[in-house]
């Protein structure tokens, strides 16, 4: 699937939206004709995270994912948010997840009151079947982070 300048990568039943310029994507095609995205950015290790599941109204999962992805330019300006993912379930296409990793508790608090959060909370709620629950989280283990 293509969402404007977003690439969709399918893995383990979840679609990951990664905003990249088309020229920056590899030419080879992955499963289902989707372009694989490789990220070689070093991310400062931290255990401070956030997870927000979004339940879209029936048939609105793609719109919710795109509305969330529109906040990426704001997140890219945040030094304290080195990892920010939007995941869309293939098993339940109206389920979308936002996953962040932060450098500190202060960075998480700043993110939750910053421009990205303001944009998301101004545009996404009308597309939702229910109010999302914010889960401040701790990273237990990871690979590649």
């Amino acid at each position: 699937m293509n969402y404007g300048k977003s690439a969709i990568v399918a893995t383990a039943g979840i679609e990951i939206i990664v905003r990249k310029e088309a020229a920056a994507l590899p030419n080879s095609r992955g499963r289902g004709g989707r372009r694989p995205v490789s990220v070689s950015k070093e991310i400062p290790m931290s255990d401070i995270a956030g997870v927000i599941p979004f339940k879209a109204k029936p048939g609105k999962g793609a719109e919710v994912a795109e509305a969330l992805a529109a906040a990426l330019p704001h997140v890219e300006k945040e030094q304290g948010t080195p990892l920010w993912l939007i995941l869309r379930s293939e098993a339940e296409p109206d389920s979308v997840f936002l996953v962040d990793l932060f450098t500190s508790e202060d960075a998480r608090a700043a993110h939750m009151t910053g421009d990205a959060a303001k944009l998301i909370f101004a545009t996404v709620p009308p597309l939702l079947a229910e109010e999302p629950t914010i889960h401040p989280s701790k990273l237990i283990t990871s690979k590649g982070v």
Side-chain angles (χ1 to χ4, degrees), residues 12-17 50-56 61 64-66 68-69 84-100 120 124 128 130 132-133 135:
I14 300 285
E15 288 183 342
I16 303 173
I17 297 181
V51 177
I52 307 173
F54 293 87
K55 181 64 177 168
V64 168
E66 186 59 26
L68 292 168
W84 190 78
L85 302 171
I86 304 297
L87 309 171
R88 182 172 175 222
S89 172
E90 290 181 333
E92 295 180 32
D94 291 326
S95 293
V96 181
F97 306 90
L98 191 156
V99 179
D100 333 75
I120 289 169
V124 175
L128 299 178
E130 58 192 50
T133 301
H135 298 273

Side-chain angles (χ1 to χ4, degrees), residues 6-66:
S6 299
I8 305 297
V9 181
T11 179
I14 300 285
E15 288 183 342
I16 303 173
I17 297 181
V18 182
R19 290 260 182 171
K20 295 279 184 189
E21 293 298 323
L25 293 171
N27 289 327
S28 61
R29 298 261 178 194
R31 223 173 3 141
R34 295 185 175 115
R35 292 179 179 199
V37 175
S38 104
V39 179
S40 61
K41 183 178 179 182
E42 190 170 316
I43 298 172
M45 187 46 120
S46 170
D47 67 346
I48 301 161
V51 177
I52 307 173
F54 293 87
K55 181 64 177 168
K57 290 179 180 174
K60 298 287 185 183
E63 288 181 59
V64 168
E66 186 59 26

Side-chain angles (χ1 to χ4, degrees), residues 77-131:
K77 296 174 187 174
E78 298 176 1
Q79 292 295 319
T81 310
L83 181 69
W84 190 78
L85 302 171
I86 304 297
L87 309 171
R88 182 172 175 222
S89 172
E90 290 181 333
E92 295 180 32
D94 291 326
S95 293
V96 181
F97 306 90
L98 191 156
V99 179
D100 333 75
L101 187 62
F102 303 100
T103 57
S104 68
E105 294 281 352
D106 290 341
R108 179 166 57 193
H111 173 75
M112 294 306 297
T113 59
D115 291 338
K118 289 175 186 169
L119 178 63
I120 289 169
F121 291 120
T123 58
V124 175
L127 302 169
L128 299 178
E130 58 192 50
E131 187 174 334

